[in-house]
Amino acid sequence: MIRNYLTTGLRNFLRHPIYTAINVLGLVLGLACSIFIFLWVIDELSYDQYHVDNDRVFKVMENESFSDGRILTDQFTPGILAETLLSEFPEVEETSRVAWSEVKLFSFGEKVNYEFGNYADKSIFNVLNLPLAEGDPNNALPDDESVAISKKMAVRYFNNTSALGKIFRLNNESDVKITAVFEDLPKNATEEFDFILTFDRHLKQNKVDITKWDNEGWLITFIKLKDSSMKLQVDEKIKNLMKKHNESFHPELFLLRMADWRLRKNFVDGKQSGGRINYVISFSLVAILILVIACINFMNLSTARSANRSREVGIRKVAGASRRMLIQQFMTESIGLSLLSLVIALLLVHLLLPVFNDFTGKKLTVNYLDPVVSFSLLGITLLTGILAGSYPALFLSSFRPASVLKGNLQSVFSDSDLRKVLVVFQFSLSMIIIVCTLVVNDQITYMRNKNLGFDRKNVLEIRTNPEILKSYEVFRNEVLQNPMITSIAIGAANPMEINGSAWFDWQGKSSDDNTLFNVADCDYDYLATLGFTIVEGRNFSRDFPSDSSSFIVTEEVVKRMGFANPIGQRLRVGDEYGQIIGVIQDFHNLGIRQTIQPTVLTLGNSDTHDADFGRWATIFLRYKPEKLKEVLEYVRSVGKKSSPNFPIQVSFVDENFDYQFRTETMTATLSTGFTILAIIISCLGLFGLALFSTERRVKEIGVRKVLGASVSGLTVLLCKDFIRQVVYAILLGSPIAYYIVQHFLAQYPYHTQIDFSMFVIPALVMLFISLSVISYQSIKAALGNVVEALRSE
């Protein structure tokens, strides 16, 4: 029976190659698009699933409420929290503290590299499930001179020999002994590091006091519960834990599960507000919509061409075929076509997968041995075949033998209204996808071009090290001898990474005002080098020794303080007093995605750069446009003299800024590709329907030409119904698209405005493409030979 179904289906496909090609191409594009998105979604959902107990592992977070209504969510907690949770909460099995991630210089013989890693408690191996390839799992870091490294780092320095017991020179300052080698973290792990130094070493080196509850040290606290079901119970118990120990600083604590570290890490006003999960959901919906568009093509063409198979159905029914058998026939044809499309789609995926990986920054592969992948691909294909073939099968099998064999085919075309609805629905989806793509691209352009409050172009960013900090003045003077370099400065942070904070007091401040200001140290040339705009007062100056205790504030600070004349106003931070000497234009100090925070700049001591600017001290160097190559060579040559034992690390402020948009850029690129696919698939269906319509009306066209109808008049006649459907689709899709893009833009504190052109342009594009597709077939039919059309009458 199945063989008969397949033979009949194959004959039908070969008898109508154009329609078969349209259906196959539409399904191939739809399936290929869905496979790409499926692979990407599976990879995103697999993050942090490597841990056998990932449902029991959490990161402790805190929500701090401020008097101005803000609620800030942070992952940095007091160092004393971990031991308190372990000793006082029976639900907690293990805890581990992790300090800021750092880049350090590792040297072994002639091999010298910067590596990325952490200071952490030795319990980190258990909490994050880091199995050891070498070393004692019960004592991986026996003392402060120990280091654990990843397997790939061990291979990088020691090839395939054992790394245990080897001695690294760390930052050219001290030696550390390799006491453990842990297995490489999988590519789908949110936390990334290649070395772990002891947490006690961090405390000693940085003189951090973790006996208080004031968040000193800025630490991340990981915990593992004895049972995942205890999460809500622990949330309630730790919520007000800080309030019991600190009257002035008492954020609410809560747990963030490991599975949410990547996908749901965004918070707005203290509440979880999506994150990458939004892209996972959006792309999944896009895959479904594109498959639906492809299936609509199949439905429309199958039902439109039902007259060609009506007599086949009638004869089969007369010969004894039941409706169930006919449904099986048509469903087999549909599923067979889907399976053929799957094979071609997989070939297309293999060809384009390297390009897709470049766009997404991933290393995706199609692993057919993975049952999840295999069964999912098969399931998607079968579902597509069933969805595409269900209505045609039900429709064709419903024909009455007496009617179709007598030539009464009026009932055959009674479904034309449904076909019109499907075309409208199909193009409405295309309209929605086009508008959303335009808005995403416009938002990225808006953010990239937004005034940041400083000039990021033509500025080098140089990571400091102990040697260059000690000889900074020598380095600075020699660099400025090059006429291609206009200025140089040093500061505690990149302007868009100023996340240090402090409480300031001033005259007239309310007792219940707990406003927190961001704060950073800088030198005399920081503002000029980075192109800040002074709106009132002056910059720090070497002519005023008192500037060492003065402040430069942003406009937002002045607004929060309520000063009409801020210059000269006195501020107190801790036990130190100073006055405001300048006000600068607000700038994005925490990245473009977050609201501008009130920021205070203080003057660092040029003689103690390491002490004032900290380990993240950064040198900024402004150069003349189009002189980058020469400047880089010169800076590196000067750097070798000032810092002979530390290779100079150079980046660009504008490139670091663009890095923030890697997710949005990837989204925009993929969305553009999906939009093109949606239009192509929709137009394929429209072309097929136009072809069928002109074939069915060929005698009508011939008669009209004999009666004097012009080619243009016939073209309009054949096109108007289809164009009307596209217009309806535009009118239906536009308000839905507007609602979606409004919701999308609401996620950004600074966003572009929804412009009328964002709907007009897609509408015109869709009309133009549709008209081009339909007109081609209509003009071809209108120019046809009348004799050929009417000779059988």
Side-chain angles (χ1 to χ4, degrees):
M1 185 67 71
I2 296 294
R3 181 181 177 182
N4 177 261
Y5 291 161
L6 292 174
T7 302
T8 304
L10 181 60
R11 288 172 179 169
N12 182 62
F13 295 154
L14 295 176
R15 192 176 297 122
H16 305 285
I18 295 178
Y19 295 106
T20 301
I22 290 173
N23 276 333
V24 169
L25 183 57
L27 290 175
V28 165
L29 294 177
L31 284 170
C33 172
S34 299
I35 292 170
F36 279 126
I37 294 177
F38 168 74
L39 294 174
W40 185 85
V41 167
I42 289 296
D43 184 76
E44 288 292 321
L45 294 178
S46 71
Y47 267 79
D48 299 319
Q49 300 296 323
Y50 68 91
H51 198 310
V52 292
D53 298 317
N54 81 314
D55 60 330
R56 296 196 290 129
V57 179
F58 301 85
K59 186 184 293 183
V60 183
M61 308 287 288
E62 58 180 39
N63 280 330
E64 175 69 4
S65 300
F66 297 96
S67 53
D68 57 6
R70 290 179 301 156
I71 301 178
L72 296 183
T73 303
D74 203 351
Q75 66 175 345
F76 298 105
T77 52
I80 196 174
L81 176 64
E83 58 187 64
T84 302
L85 292 175
L86 190 59
S87 61
E88 298 182 10
F89 290 75
E91 300 90 347
V92 177
E93 177 182 301
E94 188 64 273
T95 65
S96 181
R97 297 162 298 186
V98 176
W100 276 87
S101 299
E102 292 193 34
V103 175
K104 291 190 175 294
L105 188 71
F106 280 75
S107 306
F108 183 81
E110 297 298 320
K111 296 181 180 179
V112 180
N113 291 295
Y114 285 105
E115 307 290 352
F116 182 80
N118 295 95
Y119 292 95
D121 287 318
K122 61 180 67 177
S123 55
I124 192 68
F125 296 98
N126 179 37
V127 174
L128 292 185
N129 187 34
L130 301 176
L132 298 186
E134 294 185 79
D136 182 359
N138 298 316
N139 195 22
L141 296 169
D143 54 55
D144 295 347
E145 307 305 318
S146 305
V147 64
I149 64 173
S150 67
K151 197 170 183 178
K152 64 181 178 183
M153 183 174 167
V155 171
R156 191 154 56 238
Y157 287 89
F158 312 111
N159 297 321
N160 295 319
T161 61
S162 174
L164 284 184
K166 301 291 198 305
I167 305 296
F168 273 123
R169 187 68 177 168
L170 185 65
N171 268 9
N172 291 317
E173 295 174 334
S174 59
D175 293 331
V176 288
K177 182 180 180 181
I178 302 173
T179 55
V181 176
F182 55 87
E183 296 289 349
D184 295 331
L185 284 163
K187 63 180 180 64
N188 54 357
T190 302
E191 299 295 324
E192 296 179 304
F193 45 82
D194 279 321
F195 70 83
I196 299 175
L197 294 165
T198 67
F199 188 75
D200 289 337
R201 183 186 182 96
H202 165 70
L203 298 182
K204 291 177 182 177
Q205 284 187 344
N206 300 289
K207 299 180 176 62
V208 178
D209 182 3
I210 61 168
T211 61
K212 301 176 183 178
W213 287 86
D214 58 0
N215 252 20
E216 183 174 350
W218 294 70
L219 308 174
I220 300 173
T221 304
F222 295 105
I223 72 169
K224 180 190 282 189
L225 300 182
K226 292 178 179 177
D227 192 283
S228 60
S229 63
M230 298 176 175
K231 193 261 183 187
L232 295 178
Q233 178 183 344
V234 175
D235 267 338
E236 188 60 32
K237 291 175 70 173
I238 69 172
K239 182 177 180 180
N240 296 313
L241 183 62
M242 293 282 287
K243 198 170 186 178
K244 298 178 183 178
H245 298 279
N246 191 326
E247 294 183 0
S248 60
F249 178 71
H250 42 78
E252 293 184 352
L253 302 178
F254 67 96
L255 302 181
L256 182 66
R257 66 179 71 252
M258 189 175 188
D260 292 344
W261 291 355
R262 176 177 173 87
L263 295 178
R264 296 178 177 87
K265 66 178 182 179
N266 287 10
F267 289 84
V268 176
D269 292 331
K271 296 180 180 179
Q272 219 164 20
S273 179
R276 290 184 70 90
I277 189 65
N278 290 341
Y279 295 109
V280 171
I281 295 172
S282 299
F283 282 143
S284 299
L285 289 175
V286 168
I288 294 172
L289 293 179
I290 289 180
L291 267 183
V292 167
I293 291 173
C295 290
I296 288 174
N297 279 357
F298 190 97
M299 291 180 188
N300 273 339
L301 289 179
S302 296
T303 54
R305 292 174 47 248
S306 55
N308 297 333
R309 304 193 67 179
S310 58
R311 287 185 174 82
E312 173 194 342
V313 172
I315 293 171
R316 282 178 176 274
K317 281 194 171 184
V318 169
S322 65
R323 186 176 185 186
R324 180 179 63 83
M325 295 172 65
L326 290 170
I327 290 174
Q328 289 176 349
Q329 164 71 48
F330 295 122
M331 290 301 295
T332 300
E333 292 179 13
S334 174
I335 293 173
L337 206 61
S338 294
L339 290 172
L340 173 63
S341 301
L342 174 64
V343 173
I344 301 173
L346 287 173
L347 292 174
L348 189 63
V349 167
H350 276 288
L351 289 173
L352 297 179
L353 196 56
V355 179
F356 186 79
N357 283 335
D358 286 340
F359 280 137
T360 59
K362 292 183 178 293
K363 297 179 180 179
L364 302 177
T365 56
V366 185
N367 182 9
Y368 298 106
L369 298 179
D370 185 344
V372 174
V373 174
S374 300
F375 284 113
S376 296
L377 291 176
L378 186 61
I380 291 172
T381 305
L382 292 177
L383 182 63
T384 302
I386 292 171
L387 179 63
S390 56
Y391 179 73
L394 293 171
F395 176 73
L396 290 169
S397 63
S398 67
F399 292 168
R400 295 179 180 179
S403 297
V404 297
L405 292 178
K406 287 180 181 180
N408 181 12
L409 301 180
Q410 183 178 359
S411 62
V412 170
F413 298 104
S414 62
D415 70 316
S416 59
D417 288 340
L418 176 61
R419 288 204 301 276
K420 291 177 182 178
V421 169
L422 290 175
V423 170
V424 170
F425 179 67
Q426 186 181 46
F427 275 87
S428 294
L429 296 181
S430 298
M431 178 69 182
I432 292 169
I433 295 174
I434 294 171
V435 171
C436 291
T437 300
L438 282 178
V439 172
V440 169
N441 280 284
D442 196 58
Q443 174 63 14
I444 294 175
T445 302
Y446 170 83
M447 290 192 295
R448 279 181 169 163
N449 297 330
K450 189 179 186 302
N451 181 11
L452 301 177
F454 64 94
D455 184 5
R456 69 180 187 272
K457 295 182 179 179
N458 302 318
V459 180
L460 291 181
E461 189 173 331
I462 303 172
R463 186 190 296 271
T464 59
N465 57 64
E467 287 183 341
I468 205 167
L469 284 173
K470 290 176 183 177
S471 60
Y472 173 71
E473 292 302 323
V474 175
F475 176 79
R476 174 182 178 275
N477 292 332
E478 188 165 355
V479 163
L480 288 176
Q481 292 178 15
N482 190 318
M484 293 180 289
I485 298 172
T486 58
S487 62
I488 183 173
I490 187 170
N494 181 297
M496 299 193 75
E497 297 174 352
I498 297 178
N499 48 25
S501 56
W503 280 279
F504 286 79
D505 289 312
W506 60 88
Q507 186 177 2
K509 181 182 179 181
S510 172
S511 58
D512 60 352
D513 187 343
N514 68 339
T515 301
L516 193 68
F517 293 160
N518 288 53
V519 62
D521 288 323
C522 65
D523 71 351
Y524 296 103
D525 305 304
Y526 188 82
L527 297 184
T529 300
L530 287 163
F532 287 90
T533 301
I534 299 176
V535 296
E536 195 172 351
R538 61 176 177 83
N539 191 5
F540 294 119
S541 172
R542 294 176 176 84
D543 297 330
F544 296 89
S546 60
D547 280 1
S548 60
S549 59
S550 297
F551 305 105
I552 292 178
V553 302
T554 61
E555 294 169 302
E556 186 65 20
V557 170
V558 176
K559 180 180 176 182
R560 302 287 176 92
M561 291 179 171
F563 289 144
N565 299 299
I567 304 302
Q569 297 287 348
R570 288 177 60 78
L571 304 180
R572 179 172 68 87
V573 54
D575 297 325
E576 299 180 1
Y577 288 86
Q579 66 175 354
I580 298 175
I581 63 169
V583 179
I584 59 175
Q585 185 182 71
D586 286 330
F587 65 97
H588 287 272
N589 61 303
L590 288 179
I592 195 71
R593 291 192 188 89
Q594 300 188 45
T595 55
I596 292 174
Q597 301 298 311
T599 304
V600 178
L601 297 178
T602 58
L603 186 63
N605 191 328
S606 61
D607 297 325
T608 57
H609 290 103
D610 196 7
D612 276 26
F613 298 120
R615 298 190 305 280
W616 294 277
T618 305
I619 296 171
F620 301 93
L621 185 151
R622 179 169 293 279
Y623 59 92
K624 292 182 179 180
E626 302 178 359
K627 298 294 183 181
L628 176 59
K629 183 178 179 181
E630 297 89 337
V631 168
L632 280 174
E633 292 177 355
Y634 182 75
V635 168
R636 288 194 173 108
S637 66
V638 174
K640 285 182 180 179
K641 292 186 286 184
S642 299
S643 175
N645 298 307
F646 287 85
I648 293 292
Q649 294 175 278
V650 178
S651 59
F652 304 91
V653 173
D654 54 351
E655 283 188 359
N656 293 337
F657 170 76
D658 289 338
Y659 185 70
Q660 297 183 54
F661 306 110
R662 61 193 183 281
T663 300
E664 280 84 358
T665 301
M666 179 269 295
T667 303
T669 303
L670 293 182
S671 297
T672 302
F674 298 151
T675 299
I676 295 172
L677 279 178
I679 294 174
I680 290 174
I681 296 171
S682 297
C683 288
L684 280 172
L686 200 61
F687 177 81
L689 288 176
L691 176 61
F692 171 77
S693 177
T694 54
E695 286 179 352
R696 187 166 62 88
R697 300 176 70 177
V698 65
K699 288 183 173 58
E700 176 193 345
I701 294 170
V703 171
R704 286 180 179 274
K705 288 186 72 173
V706 168
L707 295 177
S710 64
V711 172
S712 60
L714 289 172
T715 302
V716 171
L717 176 70
L718 295 171
C719 289
K720 66 179 182 180
D721 284 343
F722 291 110
I723 295 301
R724 187 183 295 120
Q725 292 165 35
V726 175
V727 171
Y728 290 155
I730 292 169
L731 295 176
L732 176 63
S734 295
I736 299 173
Y738 180 79
Y739 173 80
I740 293 172
V741 296
Q742 255 197 333
H743 181 72
F744 167 75
L745 292 177
Q747 300 178 60
Y748 296 89
Y750 307 98
H751 56 75
T752 186
Q753 297 299 313
I754 300 176
D755 191 79
F756 186 63
S757 63
M758 295 177 180
F759 297 88
V760 173
I761 293 174
L764 293 176
V765 168
M766 284 180 58
L767 285 171
F768 175 76
I769 294 175
S770 302
L771 190 60
S772 300
V773 170
I774 301 165
S775 297
Y776 167 76
Q777 196 59 44
S778 301
I779 294 172
K780 181 180 177 182
L783 292 173
N785 191 334
V786 177
V787 175
E788 292 292 329
L790 299 177
R791 67 179 179 177
S792 61
E793 289 297 316

